[in-house]
Amino acid sequence: MNRNLLTLMLGVASALQVPSSAVAQQFVVPASAKAEIIDATNAYRKTKGLPPLRESESASRVAEAYAHYLAEANKTGHGADGRDPVQRLHAANVKFCKFRGENWHESWTRRDKASPDTAMASAMRFWKKSSGHERALRSASTDIGVGVAGWKHGDQWYYHEIQIFIDNACLKGGEAVANAPPIPDRNPERTQTP
């Protein structure tokens, strides 16, 4: 093959390669998406006769960071970064009495990005229908942390939503209360270990 033709073909092939930053890129998810999840969670809890949850800013920062990690890395699951939710909370120095659960959801669309409202509604529908996730929605939590992130990978638009449920009933001014009453377990049928 002619050396000039080969050089030209290699040059054209490299020019046609899409830079990696164009293949995966973050897109803005409005702050209202996080508020929508908190509001929908509290509305659901109200239908079950449960008190509303307060937003824990520190737990929300952890949830947000994990949602961004999952979205950017295009990974899934509760331990995709090699840590569990409690380890992430401890690493961020989040104070809490009891960890009650983490809900995680991913939704994606091809070509056209779903609206944040559609994605958040999809997450809530999934969590309500999944027994383990629904149990976290009804847990004996006092606080919730929420994080939402969006990334485009190729022609797919991904939303990752994270909820962290914690109980801070034993804390007063950031310190554990010595004589705090025992916190009821969200799963009382669980076998207790000494």
Side-chain angles (χ1 to χ4, degrees):
M1 181 180 275
N2 181 326
R3 184 179 173 133
N4 290 335
L5 181 59
L6 181 60
T7 303
L8 177 64
M9 288 174 50
L10 288 173
V12 169
S14 66
L16 292 176
Q17 290 181 351
V18 179
S20 62
S21 63
V23 173
Q25 62 186 23
Q26 183 176 8
F27 60 87
V28 175
V29 178
S32 61
K34 179 171 87 168
E36 186 175 335
I37 287 179
I38 294 170
D39 292 345
T41 299
N42 282 331
Y44 184 72
R45 288 175 63 85
K46 185 175 183 177
T47 68
K48 303 296 181 186
L50 298 168
L53 302 175
R54 297 179 304 254
E55 181 184 5
S56 164
E57 292 294 332
S58 57
S60 283
R61 283 191 294 276
V62 172
E64 189 78 21
Y66 192 54
H68 278 280
Y69 170 79
L70 291 174
E72 182 178 11
N74 203 17
K75 292 189 174 187
T76 59
H78 295 282
D81 65 350
R83 299 180 297 173
D84 65 35
V86 173
Q87 290 170 322
R88 286 190 290 274
L89 289 167
H90 285 307
N93 295 316
V94 176
K95 292 188 184 307
F96 59 95
C97 304
K98 191 163 186 175
F99 172 77
R100 296 293 186 175
E102 177 186 74
N103 283 349
W104 163 83
H105 183 262
E106 173 192 67
S107 59
W108 62 270
T109 55
R110 186 163 283 160
R111 291 192 200 138
D112 296 323
K113 177 177 66 168
S115 72
D117 291 344
T118 300
M120 300 315 108
S122 173
M124 287 302 300
R125 269 193 314 277
F126 173 79
W127 291 330
K128 289 179 200 177
K129 289 181 180 179
S130 166
S131 63
H133 296 95
E134 193 273 342
R135 189 170 47 248
L137 291 171
R138 292 183 295 106
S139 67
S141 301
T142 58
D143 295 68
I144 185 172
V146 174
V148 180
W151 279 78
K152 183 179 182 193
H153 293 275
D155 68 344
Q156 294 179 343
W157 301 84
Y158 290 86
Y159 285 94
H160 286 264
E161 303 92 3
I162 303 288
Q163 292 180 309
I164 297 173
F165 297 92
I166 54 177
D167 188 331
N168 284 332
C170 72
L171 298 181
K172 184 175 183 176
E175 297 300 322
V177 178
N179 297 321
I183 299 167
D185 194 318
R186 74 175 191 199
N187 185 359
E189 296 173 11
R190 174 187 342 220
T191 304
Q192 298 294 320
T193 56

